DNA sequence: ATGGCTGCTTTGAGCAGA
């Protein structure tokens, strides 16, 4: 079973690249972030024609998350937002059962600047995420928490750690939050297969960050132990960051000897 | 030291991203 996650930074602008990615990688599941569309404007027909079903949780202009699954792989128990009564106006979490795996697509707030209201919102949101997983996700079963966590957990997740130290992406409070998630019973699948620096998943559009190699690993696939024990591969599709009109994030891909 | 790009918005300067 191949699971991927990708912050596309506007599904409308990235539609051609998204379809090409599906054709190229043929993941069983693809978690998406930053759709930036209402559900009615999501390109359902094109996705269906590519052989995928989509569950989306969109909003106008900002945020928006989704899960694609190969047609024939039923998506069940779709949940949007953390729980009934969630008053967060920002669409940042969607979950579904697919092929025996609870798949969660999340888009953690960026945080603006350290100390700002957005930073507080990010911290609060991460606490809610942890509480929601504890209360509503069975981590003894097969679970994949996928998405743009906007956290580079360690120095080896940052190409230029001195430059990013104490920023909203690489900060001791975030390292603690990330380890808190891991402590619930999750495994950072990329680190099962890569001990050295990277693989990076995001490069700023500005400052020639990509050609200069100024990357961070902020997109993750966290798996419960029951799923992670069968993780045979984890990688980043770095080439997707190249060429015309790329997203600033590259897709993350993990393969498990589970399901098909 | 700063800003540098991209996408979006009841079209155009400002917000947001990270």
């Amino acid at each position: 079973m191949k699971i991927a996650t990708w912050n596309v930074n506007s599904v409308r602008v990235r539609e051609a690249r998204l379809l090409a990615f599906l054709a190229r990688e043929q993941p069983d599941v693809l978690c998406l972030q930053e759709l930036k569309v209402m559900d009615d404007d999501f390109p359902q027909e094109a996705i269906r024609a590519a052989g995928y079903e989509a569950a989306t949780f969109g909003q106008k202009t900002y945020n928006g998350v989704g899960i694609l699954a190969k047609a024939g792989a039923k998506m069940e128990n779709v949940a949007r937002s953390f729980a009934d009564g969630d008053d967060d106006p920002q669409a940042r979490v969607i979950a579904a059962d697919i092929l025996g795996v609870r798949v969660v697509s999340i888009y953690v707030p960026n945080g603006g600047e350290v100390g700002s209201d957005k930073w507080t919102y990010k911290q609060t949101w991460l606490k809610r995420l942890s509480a929601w997983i504890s209360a509503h996700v069975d981590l003894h079963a097969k679970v994949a928490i996928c998405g743009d966590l906007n956290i580079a957990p360690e120095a080896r997740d940052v190409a230029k750690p001195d430059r990013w130290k104490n920023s909203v992406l690489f900060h001791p409070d975030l390292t603690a939050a990330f380890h808190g998630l891991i402590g619930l019973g999750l495994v950072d699948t990329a680190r099962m297969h890569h001990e050295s620096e990277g693989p990076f998943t995001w490069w700023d559009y500005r400052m020639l960050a990509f050609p200069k190699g100024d990357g961070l690993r902020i997109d993750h696939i966290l798996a419960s132990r029951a799923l992670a024990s069968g993780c045979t591969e984890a990688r980043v599709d770095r080439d997707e960051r190249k060429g015309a009109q790329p997203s600033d994030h590259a897709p993350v891909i993990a393969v498990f000897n589970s399901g098909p």
Side-chain angles (χ1 to χ4, degrees):
Chain A
M1 183 175 187
K2 182 188 283 189
I3 299 177
T5 183
W6 188 14
N7 179 329
V8 289
N9 185 17
S10 170
V11 73
R12 284 180 291 202
V13 172
R14 225 66 63 201
E15 183 176 328
R17 276 183 176 261
L18 172 57
L19 296 173
F21 177 80
L22 292 173
R24 185 168 73 245
E25 286 290 344
Q26 300 182 33
D28 295 288
V29 175
L30 174 59
C31 295
L32 297 171
Q33 299 87 36
E34 283 210 83
L35 299 177
K36 297 189 174 181
V37 288
M38 306 275 273
D39 288 339
D40 287 348
D41 294 323
F42 185 85
Q44 285 282 358
E45 294 306 319
I47 294 298
R48 193 169 294 121
Y52 285 83
E53 294 296 324
T56 61
F57 181 34
Q59 69 174 85
K60 187 179 168 65
T61 310
Y62 301 119
N63 310 311
V65 287
I67 301 176
L68 309 190
K70 267 188 184 168
K74 273 189 194 164
M75 269 195 280
E76 297 176 309
N77 300 316
V78 175
R80 293 170 176 82
S81 80
F82 282 135
D84 293 340
D86 185 351
D87 58 354
D88 189 346
Q90 304 189 20
R92 295 183 176 277
V93 57
I94 186 170
D97 292 330
I98 305 165
L99 299 167
V101 178
R102 185 64 172 167
V103 176
V104 186
S105 177
I106 65 170
Y107 176 41
V108 174
N110 165 280
E113 294 185 9
V114 172
S116 68
D117 289 347
K118 289 176 184 173
W119 175 248
T120 303
Y121 173 61
K122 181 177 192 174
Q123 308 276 77
T124 303
W125 201 94
L126 285 165
K127 287 191 178 75
R128 294 187 69 190
L129 172 64
S130 179
W132 174 77
I133 292 172
S134 297
H136 293 97
V137 180
D138 177 10
L139 290 176
H140 297 296
K142 292 182 175 179
V143 177
I145 311 281
C146 310
D148 178 359
L149 272 65
N150 271 321
I151 297 174
E154 304 175 49
R156 60 179 168 162
D157 299 309
V158 185
K160 303 182 179 183
D162 288 345
R163 170 179 164 76
W164 289 93
K165 193 173 167 43
N166 296 321
S167 72
V168 287
L169 301 181
F170 180 43
H171 188 283
D173 292 355
L174 300 178
T175 298
F178 187 87
H179 288 147
L181 292 175
I182 294 298
L184 297 177
L186 291 162
V187 178
D188 180 353
T189 56
R191 284 286 166 236
M192 295 175 66
H193 301 280
H194 305 272
E195 282 295 323
S196 54
E197 74 162 26
F200 305 121
T201 67
W202 174 82
W203 298 262
D204 200 315
Y205 282 125
R206 299 167 294 183
M207 296 163 48
L208 299 173
F210 185 65
K212 287 181 177 173
D214 185 9
L216 287 82
R217 190 175 75 94
I218 57 175
D219 301 84
H220 305 277
I221 296 177
L222 308 182
S224 63
R225 291 191 191 95
L227 181 64
S229 62
C231 181
T232 56
E233 181 185 353
R235 61 192 165 85
V236 173
D237 182 6
R238 189 175 178 282
D239 288 345
E240 180 53 49
R241 183 62 176 77
K242 301 175 181 174
Q245 279 194 304
S247 168
D248 43 355
H249 296 255
V252 180
I253 299 158
V255 180
F256 304 91
N257 58 15
S258 170

